[in-house]
Amino acid sequence: MLALQPRFKSFDEYLAYEDDTDQLYELFNGELIAVPTESGLNFQIANRLFLVFALMLGTDRVRGHGLELEVHGEPKNRFPDLTIIREEHIAQLAKRNTVRLSMLPPLLVVEVVSPGELQRERDYIAKRQQYQACSIPEYWIVDPQTQSVLVLELASGCYQEVGDFKESMAIQSPTFPQLALTVNEIFKDL
């Protein structure tokens, strides 16, 4: 028998849905779209960044791929590769690991670009616009293909380029000036 996919009229209705699996879904025009599994390379890069930020901020404020962000537009949600949340988010996310539009935005979102032109466009254009509309102060695009880290900072409602960092360059984070990390440290031995 063919099981029909549910249609959702609101994000709240989607949040109430349980399919008793660990599958992540993006909500696109009321329909569930399964989020593909991350590549091993992307996961490895995100883990390296997780460790750096966890040592700097503690593990409670650093969230990996399972954190869900409600966003404007379609799809209505995203699952960043790494997110740095605010202190008040810790209690708010105890029941469900979802940052809603009604909450303050996270401080930093990091996306590791997956192979393929569609994925590059999604991270460099679509997600950039959605995260900007959510007023997320800082957005990083970590690109394994070019071995670079593009750091964007929200200024007057628009993302401005802080820098496109490569090789031995130290990554400059406006939100976390104490960060001591070079691009080579992210991509070493990959």
Side-chain angles (χ1 to χ4, degrees):
M1 182 150 93
L2 179 64
L4 295 175
Q5 282 279 32
R7 277 198 66 75
F8 301 98
K9 295 182 178 115
S10 70
F11 196 72
D12 286 325
E13 192 177 297
Y14 154 77
L15 288 177
Y17 174 72
E18 285 292 332
D19 70 355
D20 296 321
T21 72
D22 290 333
Q23 177 64 53
L24 301 177
Y25 296 100
E26 288 182 340
L27 182 62
F28 192 87
N29 287 328
E31 295 182 13
L32 297 178
I33 307 296
V35 175
T37 325
E38 285 293 324
S39 74
L41 177 64
N42 284 27
F43 190 74
Q44 196 172 356
I45 291 168
N47 272 352
R48 288 179 179 186
L49 291 169
F50 185 99
L51 182 59
V52 168
F53 280 101
L55 289 171
M56 189 170 64
L57 303 170
T59 57
D60 292 347
R61 294 194 42 218
V62 185
R63 301 291 167 107
H65 185 64
L67 178 106
E68 178 178 38
L69 290 177
E70 180 183 14
V71 294
H72 301 283
E74 297 294 340
K76 299 245 177 259
N77 59 329
R78 293 292 188 177
F79 293 91
D81 292 305
L82 186 78
T83 306
I84 307 302
I85 61 173
R86 298 170 187 269
E87 192 70 38
E88 65 250 34
H89 287 145
I90 297 168
Q92 294 171 329
L93 301 177
K95 281 190 171 183
R96 183 170 176 133
N97 203 25
T98 302
V99 176
R100 301 289 312 266
L101 289 170
S102 58
M103 299 163 68
L104 286 173
L107 295 172
L108 169 66
V109 169
V110 177
E111 293 288 359
V112 181
V113 180
S114 296
E117 199 54 41
L118 182 64
Q119 288 77 3
R120 293 182 72 70
E121 188 174 301
R122 184 181 63 201
D123 290 335
Y124 278 95
I125 298 170
K127 289 181 183 180
R128 177 179 175 159
Q129 292 170 347
Q130 286 180 309
Y131 296 157
Q132 179 179 280
C134 291
S135 299
I136 296 170
E138 191 169 334
Y139 175 39
W140 289 16
I141 302 172
V142 179
D143 194 332
Q145 184 178 335
T146 61
Q147 294 204 343
S148 64
V149 178
L150 176 63
V151 176
L152 302 165
E153 178 183 28
L154 195 66
S156 302
C158 292
Y159 278 135
Q160 306 296 319
E161 187 175 312
V162 173
D164 192 6
F165 302 97
K166 297 177 186 327
E167 299 171 350
S168 61
M169 296 172 75
I171 299 167
Q172 297 173 11
S173 168
T175 310
F176 302 101
Q178 72 274 34
L179 179 72
L181 180 67
T182 67
V183 175
N184 284 343
E185 290 174 297
I186 295 173
F187 295 108
K188 183 182 178 189
D189 300 325
L190 296 180

